[in-house]
Amino acid sequence: KVFNPLPKPNESIRWSGGCEDGFAHGEGTLEWFLNGAPNGTNTGSFHEGKQTGRGTALFANGSRYEGEFVNGRPHGSGTMTSEKGHRYEGDFIEGRFSGNGVLTTPDGIRRHGQFAAGLFTYGTMNWPNGDTYIGQFSENKRTGRGTYTFASGARYEGEFFEGKFHGQGVLTQPNGQKLSGTFTDGKLTGSSAAPASSAQREETDSLKQLVDAVAPRDLVTGQRSLNMESESEELTRASEQSGQILGQA
């Protein structure tokens, strides 16, 4: 017998290893079958029917986990890759991303920082074009205080909500010119700038143009991160499924 927290109808196993008191025990390979078709494997050390210690889990959809297990679930340090090319390397707690880790997606977006219960909460997000965000996240979205630095050298520091500039913030041009004020849904709605000269007005106008240019782009990147987040949820679900492949005979 082996541990299976979520048994399915017509599920069966084949265990290649030793047994103790009727349970899979020691080093071996556990093969899963659903309706007679291969449905994943686990290789490693088992104790009382539960995978424990370092090992691997291969899923029928092509996902793979390699790392530490406790009581049949990924727990400790490990690496999860999905069939779509997502990769998470870091800490797991009871099958979910929790602790310090790095999540990389096929489009080149990289998140490095703190995860809790499968969600990214604080850290750095890098885009392939050179843009970088460092700060807080909520529900995998840029929400709270943070700094978004563009590849051009422009930088926004302040409050975010669901991936967009929202609240009090300061936008800085590469030349050092600053524009502070209130942002709503990615748009500058109130500014503290009060230029006294035409040159200052031109610089402020150029900053506002930058805001207008950034806002739809930020919305796009926000949507892209939302797409990534839904796919990262798939990766989280895959990690949770690693407990399932330790099914009960």
Side-chain angles (χ1 to χ4, degrees):
K1 290 189 283 188
V2 293
F3 173 68
N4 183 3
L6 296 171
K8 298 178 182 178
N10 302 318
E11 200 170 38
S12 60
I13 64 168
R14 182 164 58 208
W15 165 245
S16 301
C19 292
E20 187 174 289
D21 296 328
F23 290 92
H25 194 86
E27 296 290 327
T29 297
L30 177 65
E31 299 175 78
W32 279 91
F33 299 89
L34 185 63
N35 295 316
N39 197 44
T41 63
N42 265 54
T43 301
S45 180
F46 289 73
H47 179 74
E48 296 182 346
K50 299 178 181 179
Q51 189 168 11
T52 300
R54 292 202 63 84
T56 60
L58 303 178
F59 301 88
N61 64 4
S63 297
R64 174 187 176 92
Y65 171 79
E66 183 172 358
E68 298 175 321
F69 289 80
V70 173
N71 290 327
R73 294 185 182 277
H75 191 96
S77 177
T79 300
M80 172 71 78
T81 55
S82 78
E83 76 282 6
K84 295 181 179 179
H86 301 76
R87 177 184 173 89
Y88 171 83
E89 185 173 0
D91 299 327
F92 289 76
I93 294 179
E94 295 185 349
R96 308 186 76 179
F97 309 157
S98 291
N100 190 55
V102 179
L103 176 63
T104 306
T105 54
D107 54 12
I109 297 175
R110 182 178 185 271
R111 293 184 177 201
H112 181 196
Q114 292 297 310
F115 291 78
L119 299 175
F120 193 45
T121 59
Y122 184 86
T124 301
M125 188 171 181
N126 301 103
W127 282 264
N129 70 344
D131 288 2
T132 300
Y133 170 82
I134 302 175
Q136 297 174 318
F137 290 78
S138 177
E139 297 296 323
N140 282 332
K141 303 177 182 72
R142 300 188 300 278
T143 296
R145 292 202 60 83
T147 300
Y148 194 111
T149 303
F150 297 87
S152 65
R155 184 177 71 254
Y156 170 84
E157 298 178 72
E159 296 174 310
F160 289 76
F161 182 71
E162 294 190 347
K164 291 175 280 188
F165 306 158
H166 193 89
Q168 294 298 307
V170 179
L171 187 65
T172 305
Q173 282 267 44
N175 64 8
Q177 174 71 15
K178 297 179 183 292
L179 184 64
S180 62
T182 301
F183 292 77
T184 302
D185 216 21
K187 293 283 188 178
L188 181 65
T189 56
S191 172
S192 63
S197 68
S198 60
Q200 287 176 311
R201 282 194 297 272
E202 288 176 2
E203 288 183 334
T204 300
D205 287 343
S206 69
L207 276 169
K208 289 181 178 179
Q209 289 171 7
L210 175 61
V211 173
D212 291 339
V214 164
R217 184 177 180 282
D218 188 59
L219 182 60
V220 169
T221 56
Q223 182 61 49
R224 184 171 59 183
S225 71
L226 285 174
N227 290 338
M228 185 203 69
E229 287 146 12
S230 65
E231 292 177 339
S232 71
E233 289 170 2
E234 294 176 8
L235 191 56
T236 302
R237 285 195 294 272
S239 74
E240 292 171 341
Q241 289 169 1
S242 61
Q244 298 180 31
I245 65 175
L246 300 176
Q248 187 168 355

